Amino acid sequence: MIDFSLPADLEAERDRIRRFVIDKIVPYERDPRLTAHGPNDELRQELVELARAEKLLTIQAPVELGGRGLGHVEQAVLYEAAGWSTLGPVAMNCAAPDEGNMFLLSKVANPDQIDRYLMPVITGQQRSVFAMTEPDGAGSDPDQLATTATFDGTNFTINGRKWLITGADGAKTWIIMARLAANPHLPEGPTLFLADGDAAPAGGIVIERTMNTMDRNYVGGHGVVRFENLTLPRESVLGETGQALRYAQLRLAPARLTHCMRWLGAAERAQSIAVEHARTRTAFGKTIGEHEGVSFMLADNEIALHQCRLTIWHACWLMDQGHKARHESSMAKSFVSEELFKVADRCVQVLGGIGISDETVVEMIFRDMRAFRLYDGPTEVHKWAIGRKVLRK
Ligand SMILES: Cc1cc2nc3c(=O)[nH]c(=O)nc-3n(C[C@H](O)[C@H](O)[C@H](O)COP(=O)(O)OP(=O)(O)OC[C@H]3O[C@@H](n4cnc5c(N)ncnc54)[C@H](O)[C@@H]3O)c2cc1C
Protein backbone atom coordinates (compact mmCIF):
# COMPACT_ATOMS: atom_id res chain seq x y z
CA MET A 1 0.00 0.00 0.00
CA ILE A 2 1.30 3.48 -0.79
CA ASP A 3 0.00 6.09 1.62
CA PHE A 4 1.09 9.69 1.06
CA SER A 5 -1.08 11.18 3.78
CA LEU A 6 0.57 12.91 6.73
CA PRO A 7 -0.66 12.63 10.32
CA ALA A 8 -2.69 15.69 11.33
CA ASP A 9 -0.33 16.56 14.20
CA LEU A 10 2.66 16.53 11.84
CA GLU A 11 0.85 18.87 9.45
CA ALA A 12 -0.04 21.16 12.34
CA GLU A 13 3.59 21.25 13.53
CA ARG A 14 4.77 21.94 9.97
CA ASP A 15 2.38 24.90 9.77
CA ARG A 16 3.47 26.17 13.19
CA ILE A 17 7.14 26.05 12.14
CA ARG A 18 6.44 27.83 8.85
CA ARG A 19 4.54 30.55 10.79
CA PHE A 20 7.39 30.84 13.34
CA VAL A 21 9.96 31.24 10.56
CA ILE A 22 7.88 33.83 8.68
CA ASP A 23 6.93 35.89 11.74
CA LYS A 24 10.04 35.66 13.92
CA ILE A 25 13.01 34.67 11.75
CA VAL A 26 12.56 36.26 8.32
CA PRO A 27 12.91 39.80 9.80
CA TYR A 28 16.52 38.92 10.72
CA GLU A 29 17.47 38.36 7.08
CA ARG A 30 18.52 42.01 6.84
CA ASP A 31 20.34 42.03 10.17
CA PRO A 32 23.94 43.25 9.73
CA ARG A 33 25.07 40.35 11.89
CA LEU A 34 24.30 38.16 8.86
CA THR A 35 27.79 38.80 7.51
CA ALA A 36 29.68 37.77 4.39
CA HIS A 37 30.92 34.82 6.51
CA GLY A 38 27.42 33.82 7.58
CA PRO A 39 25.41 34.67 10.68
CA ASN A 40 27.76 35.56 13.52
CA ASP A 41 27.55 33.85 16.89
CA GLU A 42 25.65 36.68 18.53
CA LEU A 43 22.93 36.51 15.88
CA ARG A 44 22.87 32.73 16.08
CA GLN A 45 22.39 32.81 19.84
CA GLU A 46 19.53 35.28 19.53
CA LEU A 47 17.80 33.08 16.95
CA VAL A 48 18.39 29.95 19.02
CA GLU A 49 16.68 31.59 22.00
CA LEU A 50 13.64 32.38 19.84
CA ALA A 51 13.35 28.73 18.84
CA ARG A 52 13.94 27.59 22.40
CA ALA A 53 11.05 29.77 23.59
CA GLU A 54 8.77 28.03 21.06
CA LYS A 55 10.07 24.56 22.01
CA LEU A 56 11.47 24.19 18.51
CA LEU A 57 15.16 23.81 19.38
CA THR A 58 16.98 20.64 18.23
CA ILE A 59 13.71 18.74 17.93
CA GLN A 60 15.47 16.05 15.86
CA ALA A 61 17.71 14.88 18.75
CA PRO A 62 17.07 11.44 20.23
CA VAL A 63 14.42 11.41 22.98
CA GLU A 64 16.95 10.27 25.60
CA LEU A 65 19.06 13.34 24.77
CA GLY A 66 16.18 15.78 25.08
CA GLY A 67 14.77 15.84 21.54
CA ARG A 68 11.69 14.33 19.94
CA GLY A 69 13.53 11.55 18.12
CA LEU A 70 11.98 12.49 14.78
CA GLY A 71 11.77 9.89 12.03
CA HIS A 72 13.25 10.74 8.63
CA VAL A 73 9.91 11.49 6.94
CA GLU A 74 8.94 13.69 9.89
CA GLN A 75 12.24 15.51 9.51
CA ALA A 76 11.58 15.98 5.79
CA VAL A 77 8.25 17.65 6.46
CA LEU A 78 9.46 19.89 9.30
CA TYR A 79 12.86 20.86 7.84
CA GLU A 80 11.17 21.91 4.61
CA ALA A 81 9.07 24.31 6.67
CA ALA A 82 12.15 25.52 8.58
CA GLY A 83 14.03 26.09 5.30
CA TRP A 84 11.66 28.88 4.21
CA SER A 85 14.43 31.13 5.56
CA THR A 86 18.07 29.99 5.56
CA LEU A 87 18.09 31.33 9.13
CA GLY A 88 15.23 28.98 10.13
CA PRO A 89 17.47 25.89 10.50
CA VAL A 90 20.08 28.03 12.30
CA ALA A 91 17.45 29.06 14.86
CA MET A 92 16.11 25.52 15.28
CA ASN A 93 19.62 24.06 15.50
CA CYS A 94 19.07 21.75 12.56
CA ALA A 95 21.50 23.44 10.13
CA ALA A 96 24.72 21.94 8.76
CA PRO A 97 27.22 21.00 9.98
CA ASP A 98 25.81 20.71 13.53
CA GLU A 99 22.82 18.64 12.46
CA GLY A 100 24.92 15.92 10.81
CA ASN A 101 27.52 16.06 13.57
CA MET A 102 24.87 15.61 16.25
CA PHE A 103 23.52 12.62 14.34
CA LEU A 104 26.96 11.03 14.10
CA LEU A 105 27.85 11.67 17.73
CA SER A 106 24.52 10.32 18.95
CA LYS A 107 25.30 7.07 17.09
CA VAL A 108 29.01 6.64 17.83
CA ALA A 109 30.13 8.70 20.86
CA ASN A 110 30.54 7.06 24.28
CA PRO A 111 28.71 8.48 27.35
CA ASP A 112 31.62 10.72 28.41
CA GLN A 113 31.98 12.09 24.89
CA ILE A 114 28.22 12.66 24.71
CA ASP A 115 28.36 14.77 27.89
CA ARG A 116 31.39 16.76 26.85
CA TYR A 117 30.99 17.18 23.09
CA LEU A 118 27.40 16.46 22.08
CA MET A 119 25.11 17.79 24.81
CA PRO A 120 26.38 21.40 24.59
CA VAL A 121 25.65 21.30 20.84
CA ILE A 122 22.17 19.85 21.36
CA THR A 123 21.34 22.55 23.90
CA GLY A 124 22.52 25.23 21.48
CA GLN A 125 25.39 26.42 23.70
CA GLN A 126 28.19 25.55 21.31
CA ARG A 127 28.85 24.68 17.68
CA SER A 128 30.65 21.80 16.05
CA VAL A 129 32.77 21.14 12.96
CA PHE A 130 33.55 18.13 10.82
CA ALA A 131 37.07 18.57 9.48
CA MET A 132 37.81 16.27 6.55
CA THR A 133 38.51 18.18 3.31
CA GLU A 134 42.11 19.12 2.53
CA PRO A 135 43.76 21.37 -0.06
CA ASP A 136 46.18 18.64 -1.14
CA GLY A 137 44.46 15.52 0.14
CA ALA A 138 40.92 14.36 0.95
CA GLY A 139 38.08 15.88 -1.09
CA SER A 140 35.80 13.89 -3.36
CA ASP A 141 38.23 11.06 -2.71
CA PRO A 142 38.61 10.65 1.07
CA ASP A 143 41.22 7.94 0.50
CA GLN A 144 43.64 10.79 -0.25
CA LEU A 145 43.48 11.80 3.41
CA ALA A 146 46.82 13.42 4.19
CA THR A 147 46.41 14.67 7.78
CA THR A 148 48.41 12.35 10.03
CA ALA A 149 48.02 11.10 13.58
CA THR A 150 50.75 9.31 15.48
CA PHE A 151 50.21 7.44 18.74
CA ASP A 152 52.86 6.90 21.40
CA GLY A 153 50.71 4.68 23.62
CA THR A 154 49.42 7.64 25.66
CA ASN A 155 48.72 10.56 23.32
CA PHE A 156 47.94 11.21 19.67
CA THR A 157 49.72 13.96 17.78
CA ILE A 158 47.88 15.36 14.78
CA ASN A 159 49.40 17.35 11.93
CA GLY A 160 47.86 18.54 8.68
CA ARG A 161 45.88 21.21 6.88
CA LYS A 162 42.16 21.40 6.06
CA TRP A 163 39.95 23.84 4.22
CA LEU A 164 36.29 24.52 3.52
CA ILE A 165 35.67 23.63 7.17
CA THR A 166 32.26 25.08 7.92
CA GLY A 167 31.91 26.96 11.17
CA ALA A 168 35.58 26.50 12.15
CA ASP A 169 35.91 29.97 13.63
CA GLY A 170 34.39 29.83 17.11
CA ALA A 171 33.43 26.15 17.17
CA LYS A 172 34.16 24.15 20.31
CA THR A 173 33.27 20.57 19.36
CA TRP A 174 35.75 19.41 16.72
CA ILE A 175 35.50 16.14 14.80
CA ILE A 176 38.80 15.72 12.98
CA MET A 177 39.64 13.08 10.39
CA ALA A 178 43.28 12.00 10.34
CA ARG A 179 45.18 8.94 9.20
CA LEU A 180 46.54 7.01 12.17
CA ALA A 181 50.04 5.74 11.42
CA ALA A 182 51.02 2.14 12.10
CA ASN A 183 51.68 1.64 15.84
CA PRO A 184 51.88 -1.31 18.21
CA HIS A 185 48.75 -0.30 20.20
CA LEU A 186 45.77 0.36 17.95
CA PRO A 187 44.56 -0.45 14.40
CA GLU A 188 45.87 2.12 11.92
CA GLY A 189 44.04 4.04 9.17
CA PRO A 190 41.57 6.93 8.82
CA THR A 191 40.28 7.79 12.29
CA LEU A 192 37.92 10.37 13.78
CA PHE A 193 39.14 12.35 16.78
CA LEU A 194 37.24 14.66 19.10
CA ALA A 195 38.89 17.85 20.25
CA ASP A 196 37.79 20.83 22.27
CA GLY A 197 38.29 24.02 20.24
CA ASP A 198 38.83 25.99 23.45
CA ALA A 199 40.99 23.57 25.37
CA ALA A 200 43.31 22.70 22.48
CA PRO A 201 46.82 23.67 23.52
CA ALA A 202 48.05 26.91 22.04
CA GLY A 203 49.01 26.33 18.44
CA GLY A 204 47.26 22.96 18.25
CA ILE A 205 44.35 24.15 16.13
CA VAL A 206 45.25 27.18 14.05
CA ILE A 207 42.48 28.93 12.12
CA GLU A 208 44.52 30.43 9.29
CA ARG A 209 41.60 32.37 7.83
CA THR A 210 37.93 32.27 6.90
CA MET A 211 37.50 31.89 3.15
CA ASN A 212 35.56 34.41 1.09
CA THR A 213 32.82 32.36 -0.58
CA MET A 214 29.65 33.10 -2.53
CA ASP A 215 27.37 31.66 0.19
CA ARG A 216 26.67 33.21 3.58
CA ASN A 217 24.13 30.94 5.22
CA TYR A 218 26.45 28.90 7.48
CA VAL A 219 27.45 30.25 10.87
CA GLY A 220 31.14 31.15 10.92
CA GLY A 221 31.66 30.63 7.16
CA HIS A 222 34.27 28.15 5.94
CA GLY A 223 37.74 28.04 7.45
CA VAL A 224 41.27 27.10 6.46
CA VAL A 225 42.69 25.25 9.43
CA ARG A 226 46.08 23.87 10.40
CA PHE A 227 46.72 21.19 13.02
CA GLU A 228 50.14 21.80 14.44
CA ASN A 229 51.21 19.02 16.77
CA LEU A 230 47.68 18.90 18.17
CA THR A 231 48.04 16.57 21.16
CA LEU A 232 45.00 14.56 22.20
CA PRO A 233 44.59 11.83 24.84
CA ARG A 234 43.65 8.26 24.02
CA GLU A 235 39.98 8.81 24.92
CA SER A 236 39.57 11.38 22.14
CA VAL A 237 39.06 8.68 19.51
CA LEU A 238 35.47 8.71 18.26
CA GLY A 239 34.37 5.09 17.87
CA GLU A 240 37.18 2.82 16.74
CA THR A 241 40.46 3.69 15.07
CA GLY A 242 40.68 2.96 11.34
CA GLN A 243 36.90 3.35 10.90
CA ALA A 244 36.58 7.02 9.92
CA LEU A 245 35.33 6.40 6.39
CA ARG A 246 32.60 4.08 7.65
CA TYR A 247 31.47 6.70 10.19
CA ALA A 248 31.61 9.43 7.54
CA GLN A 249 29.21 7.33 5.43
CA LEU A 250 26.94 6.85 8.43
CA ARG A 251 26.80 10.63 8.80
CA LEU A 252 26.48 11.40 5.11
CA ALA A 253 23.42 9.41 4.03
CA PRO A 254 20.96 11.24 6.31
CA ALA A 255 22.95 14.52 6.25
CA ARG A 256 22.76 14.84 2.47
CA LEU A 257 19.00 14.30 2.68
CA THR A 258 18.53 16.98 5.31
CA HIS A 259 20.29 19.42 2.97
CA CYS A 260 17.68 18.49 0.35
CA MET A 261 14.84 19.12 2.81
CA ARG A 262 16.04 22.56 3.89
CA TRP A 263 16.84 23.72 0.36
CA LEU A 264 13.42 22.54 -0.82
CA GLY A 265 11.88 25.02 1.65
CA ALA A 266 14.13 27.81 0.38
CA ALA A 267 13.28 27.03 -3.26
CA GLU A 268 9.58 27.14 -2.46
CA ARG A 269 10.10 30.59 -0.96
CA ALA A 270 11.86 31.75 -4.14
CA GLN A 271 9.01 30.34 -6.24
CA SER A 272 6.40 32.14 -4.13
CA ILE A 273 8.21 35.44 -4.73
CA ALA A 274 8.49 34.76 -8.46
CA VAL A 275 4.79 33.85 -8.67
CA GLU A 276 3.78 37.05 -6.91
CA HIS A 277 5.95 39.06 -9.29
CA ALA A 278 4.48 37.27 -12.33
CA ARG A 279 0.98 38.08 -11.11
CA THR A 280 1.60 41.79 -10.65
CA ARG A 281 4.34 42.96 -13.05
CA THR A 282 3.05 43.85 -16.51
CA ALA A 283 4.67 43.89 -19.94
CA PHE A 284 3.19 44.20 -23.44
CA GLY A 285 -0.35 44.79 -22.17
CA LYS A 286 -0.69 41.96 -19.66
CA THR A 287 0.91 40.51 -16.57
CA ILE A 288 4.18 38.74 -17.30
CA GLY A 289 2.62 35.56 -15.89
CA GLU A 290 0.20 35.58 -18.81
CA HIS A 291 3.13 35.26 -21.20
CA GLU A 292 3.70 31.60 -21.79
CA GLY A 293 7.47 31.99 -21.52
CA VAL A 294 7.01 32.99 -17.87
CA SER A 295 4.17 30.64 -16.94
CA PHE A 296 6.17 27.72 -18.34
CA MET A 297 9.10 28.62 -16.08
CA LEU A 298 6.77 28.70 -13.08
CA ALA A 299 5.22 25.40 -14.19
CA ASP A 300 8.67 23.81 -14.52
CA ASN A 301 9.39 25.00 -10.99
CA GLU A 302 6.16 23.54 -9.67
CA ILE A 303 6.95 20.19 -11.29
CA ALA A 304 10.52 20.20 -9.98
CA LEU A 305 9.47 21.07 -6.42
CA HIS A 306 6.95 18.25 -6.44
CA GLN A 307 9.42 15.72 -7.87
CA CYS A 308 12.08 16.74 -5.35
CA ARG A 309 9.66 16.35 -2.44
CA LEU A 310 8.62 12.87 -3.59
CA THR A 311 12.24 11.82 -4.10
CA ILE A 312 13.20 13.01 -0.61
CA TRP A 313 10.18 11.40 1.03
CA HIS A 314 10.86 8.06 -0.66
CA ALA A 315 14.49 7.90 0.53
CA CYS A 316 13.34 8.99 4.01
CA TRP A 317 10.61 6.39 4.07
CA LEU A 318 13.14 3.67 3.21
CA MET A 319 15.37 4.83 6.05
CA ASP A 320 12.43 4.84 8.44
CA GLN A 321 11.90 1.18 7.45
CA GLY A 322 15.47 0.45 8.56
CA HIS A 323 17.15 0.49 5.13
CA LYS A 324 20.45 2.31 4.70
CA ALA A 325 19.08 3.78 1.42
CA ARG A 326 22.57 4.83 0.37
CA HIS A 327 21.77 4.49 -3.33
CA GLU A 328 18.44 6.31 -3.00
CA SER A 329 19.85 9.12 -0.88
CA SER A 330 22.68 9.51 -3.38
CA MET A 331 20.17 9.72 -6.26
CA ALA A 332 18.09 12.16 -4.22
CA LYS A 333 21.06 14.40 -3.41
CA SER A 334 22.27 14.66 -7.00
CA PHE A 335 18.76 15.12 -8.44
CA VAL A 336 17.45 17.56 -5.83
CA SER A 337 20.56 19.76 -5.78
CA GLU A 338 20.53 20.12 -9.58
CA GLU A 339 16.77 20.64 -9.85
CA LEU A 340 16.45 23.14 -7.03
CA PHE A 341 19.29 25.21 -8.40
CA LYS A 342 17.42 25.37 -11.73
CA VAL A 343 14.32 26.46 -9.81
CA ALA A 344 16.26 29.27 -8.13
CA ASP A 345 17.75 30.30 -11.47
CA ARG A 346 14.32 30.47 -13.14
CA CYS A 347 13.03 32.56 -10.22
CA VAL A 348 15.85 35.05 -10.82
CA GLN A 349 14.85 35.12 -14.49
CA VAL A 350 11.14 35.74 -13.76
CA LEU A 351 12.07 38.65 -11.51
CA GLY A 352 13.99 40.36 -14.29
CA GLY A 353 16.69 42.83 -13.27
CA ILE A 354 15.72 42.89 -9.61
CA GLY A 355 16.34 39.15 -9.54
CA ILE A 356 20.05 39.75 -9.15
CA SER A 357 19.60 42.44 -6.50
CA ASP A 358 18.89 42.13 -2.80
CA GLU A 359 15.46 43.72 -3.32
CA THR A 360 14.20 40.18 -2.73
CA VAL A 361 15.75 37.20 -0.94
CA VAL A 362 15.83 35.21 -4.21
CA GLU A 363 19.33 36.44 -5.01
CA MET A 364 20.62 35.23 -1.64
CA ILE A 365 18.91 31.85 -2.05
CA PHE A 366 20.44 31.50 -5.53
CA ARG A 367 23.96 32.21 -4.27
CA ASP A 368 23.66 30.16 -1.09
CA MET A 369 22.20 27.20 -2.93
CA ARG A 370 24.99 26.95 -5.49
CA ALA A 371 27.32 25.22 -3.06
CA PHE A 372 24.73 22.48 -2.46
CA ARG A 373 25.75 20.91 -5.78
CA LEU A 374 29.27 20.48 -4.36
CA TYR A 375 29.19 19.58 -0.69
CA ASP A 376 28.23 16.16 0.64
CA GLY A 377 29.42 14.82 -2.70
CA PRO A 378 29.50 16.80 -5.96
CA THR A 379 26.81 15.73 -8.44
CA GLU A 380 29.38 14.05 -10.69
CA VAL A 381 30.71 11.90 -7.85
CA HIS A 382 27.20 10.74 -6.99
CA LYS A 383 26.49 9.97 -10.65
CA TRP A 384 29.78 8.11 -10.92
CA ALA A 385 28.82 5.93 -7.93
CA ILE A 386 25.27 5.45 -9.21
CA GLY A 387 26.63 4.54 -12.64
CA ARG A 388 28.96 1.92 -11.16
CA LYS A 389 26.03 0.37 -9.30
CA VAL A 390 23.90 0.36 -12.45
CA LEU A 391 26.68 -1.39 -14.39
CA ARG A 392 27.11 -4.00 -11.66
CA LYS A 393 23.42 -4.94 -11.77
C1 LIG B 1 29.92 25.38 1.21
C2 LIG B 1 30.79 24.20 1.50
C3 LIG B 1 30.91 23.73 2.79
C4 LIG B 1 31.76 22.65 3.08
N1 LIG B 1 31.90 22.24 4.39
C5 LIG B 1 32.78 21.26 4.68
C6 LIG B 1 33.03 20.88 6.04
O1 LIG B 1 32.42 21.41 6.98
N2 LIG B 1 33.93 19.91 6.28
C7 LIG B 1 34.63 19.29 5.29
O2 LIG B 1 35.45 18.44 5.59
N3 LIG B 1 34.42 19.64 3.99
C8 LIG B 1 33.53 20.61 3.68
N4 LIG B 1 33.32 20.99 2.37
C9 LIG B 1 34.10 20.36 1.32
C10 LIG B 1 33.30 19.41 0.45
O3 LIG B 1 33.02 18.24 1.15
C11 LIG B 1 34.14 19.20 -0.81
O4 LIG B 1 34.10 20.43 -1.54
C12 LIG B 1 33.65 18.07 -1.67
O5 LIG B 1 33.82 16.83 -1.04
C13 LIG B 1 34.42 18.02 -3.00
O6 LIG B 1 35.79 17.97 -2.74
P1 LIG B 1 36.77 19.07 -3.40
O7 LIG B 1 36.19 20.41 -3.17
O8 LIG B 1 38.12 18.80 -2.92
O9 LIG B 1 36.64 18.79 -4.95
P2 LIG B 1 37.56 17.80 -5.81
O10 LIG B 1 37.67 16.48 -5.13
O11 LIG B 1 38.79 18.51 -6.16
O12 LIG B 1 36.65 17.64 -7.10
C14 LIG B 1 36.47 18.72 -8.03
C15 LIG B 1 35.45 18.30 -9.06
O13 LIG B 1 35.94 17.15 -9.76
C16 LIG B 1 34.84 16.35 -10.19
N5 LIG B 1 35.04 14.96 -9.76
C17 LIG B 1 35.73 14.50 -8.68
N6 LIG B 1 35.67 13.17 -8.62
C18 LIG B 1 34.93 12.75 -9.68
C19 LIG B 1 34.50 11.48 -10.18
N7 LIG B 1 34.79 10.34 -9.55
N8 LIG B 1 33.74 11.46 -11.30
C20 LIG B 1 33.41 12.61 -11.95
N9 LIG B 1 33.77 13.84 -11.52
C21 LIG B 1 34.53 13.91 -10.41
C22 LIG B 1 33.57 16.97 -9.59
O14 LIG B 1 32.93 17.76 -10.58
C23 LIG B 1 34.10 17.86 -8.48
O15 LIG B 1 33.24 18.97 -8.23
C24 LIG B 1 32.47 22.03 2.04
C25 LIG B 1 32.32 22.49 0.73
C26 LIG B 1 31.51 23.56 0.45
C27 LIG B 1 31.39 24.04 -0.96
Side-chain angles (χ1 to χ4, degrees):
M1 189 181 80
I2 298 178
D3 183 357
F4 289 100
S5 59
L6 297 176
D9 56 345
L10 182 60
E11 284 188 330
E13 192 61 348
R14 174 197 62 196
D15 296 345
R16 188 170 83 92
I17 289 174
R18 176 65 51 91
R19 208 55 273 152
F20 164 72
V21 172
I22 291 172
D23 292 346
K24 302 266 175 67
I25 305 300
V26 164
Y28 283 91
E29 287 173 348
R30 292 196 177 272
D31 191 300
R33 292 171 298 174
L34 174 48
T35 73
H37 293 157
N40 68 16
D41 274 305
E42 185 189 297
L43 174 57
R44 171 186 177 269
Q45 210 56 52
E46 204 166 309
L47 297 173
V48 158
E49 295 314 321
L50 291 173
R52 196 193 308 278
E54 299 287 337
K55 301 205 177 326
L56 287 175
L57 189 69
T58 331
I59 54 176
Q60 74 279 5
V63 175
E64 62 277 16
L65 299 180
R68 298 187 199 169
L70 297 176
H72 295 283
V73 171
E74 289 173 319
Q75 269 185 357
V77 173
L78 301 183
Y79 285 14
E80 182 184 331
W84 187 260
S85 169
T86 55
L87 294 177
V90 174
M92 290 173 56
N93 204 18
C94 62
D98 287 324
E99 194 262 345
N101 293 341
M102 286 187 270
F103 177 84
L104 173 65
L105 292 175
S106 71
K107 297 282 178 207
V108 183
N110 64 36
D112 287 343
Q113 293 171 335
I114 287 178
D115 283 348
R116 181 165 177 195
Y117 294 105
L118 174 57
M119 286 314 296
V121 182
I122 287 182
T123 57
Q125 288 163 271
Q126 69 188 45
R127 293 189 289 102
S128 61
V129 299
F130 188 86
M132 184 196 82
T133 307
E134 300 165 337
D136 304 311
S140 301
D141 181 2
D143 276 341
Q144 294 183 173
L145 185 68
T147 298
T148 58
T150 54
F151 186 51
D152 62 11
T154 308
N155 288 317
F156 297 95
T157 306
I158 298 182
N159 281 289
R161 199 154 169 265
K162 307 270 181 186
W163 68 2
L164 291 161
I165 306 308
T166 305
D169 191 13
K172 295 200 178 124
T173 290
W174 281 71
I175 305 171
I176 302 163
M177 192 185 288
R179 187 180 297 281
L180 180 59
N183 68 91
H185 314 281
L186 293 165
E188 65 195 79
T191 300
L192 293 182
F193 297 91
L194 282 164
D196 185 331
D198 270 356
I205 301 179
V206 183
I207 313 275
E208 291 185 6
R209 62 189 163 92
T210 301
M211 303 165 90
N212 295 320
T213 56
M214 66 196 287
D215 65 330
R216 56 185 194 120
N217 54 304
Y218 293 117
V219 179
H222 313 288
V224 181
V225 182
R226 197 169 71 246
F227 302 113
E228 221 170 59
N229 293 323
L230 172 65
T231 307
L232 298 172
R234 187 179 186 133
E235 54 272 20
S236 30
V237 173
L238 176 61
E240 294 167 23
T241 60
Q243 296 298 317
L245 300 186
R246 188 162 64 83
Y247 298 141
Q249 280 305 322
L250 181 74
R251 178 186 184 278
L252 264 180
R256 58 169 80 114
L257 277 178
T258 60
H259 277 303
C260 296
M261 301 166 191
R262 293 180 293 254
W263 285 123
L264 177 59
E268 274 184 280
R269 168 103 174 272
Q271 166 81 338
S272 77
I273 293 167
V275 167
E276 188 53 26
H277 188 74
R279 277 199 192 115
T280 51
R281 175 74 171 155
T282 56
F284 305 100
K286 50 187 174 183
T287 64
I288 58 167
E290 288 172 88
H291 293 282
E292 210 170 66
V294 171
S295 70
F296 271 27
M297 284 198 274
L298 297 175
D300 283 340
N301 284 356
E302 195 69 6
I303 294 164
L305 292 169
H306 183 61
Q307 288 176 324
C308 287
R309 186 175 300 108
L310 292 178
T311 302
I312 296 167
W313 283 13
H314 177 249
C316 288
W317 177 81
L318 281 174
M319 289 168 71
D320 281 340
Q321 309 305 305
H323 299 283
K324 289 200 177 102
R326 238 182 240 164
H327 182 59
E328 289 77 9
S329 77
S330 178
M331 290 196 291
K333 199 278 174 178
S334 48
F335 176 74
V336 171
S337 62
E338 294 296 324
E339 286 303 309
L340 293 186
F341 186 66
K342 286 185 219 157
V343 169
D345 184 45
R346 285 190 289 259
C347 290
V348 170
Q349 196 68 15
V350 169
L351 287 172
I354 62 157
I356 61 141
S357 76
D358 69 357
E359 296 294 314
T360 80
V361 76
V362 171
E363 171 262 355
M364 184 166 85
I365 292 171
F366 175 84
R367 275 191 296 121
D368 286 347
M369 200 189 277
R370 179 60 184 83
F372 177 32
R373 292 168 59 201
L374 292 164
Y375 51 65
D376 285 10
T379 303
E380 297 72 29
V381 176
H382 282 289
K383 287 188 176 173
W384 175 65
I386 294 163
R388 280 192 309 176
K389 189 174 165 78
V390 168
L391 290 167
R392 273 201 307 270
K393 265 186 190 170

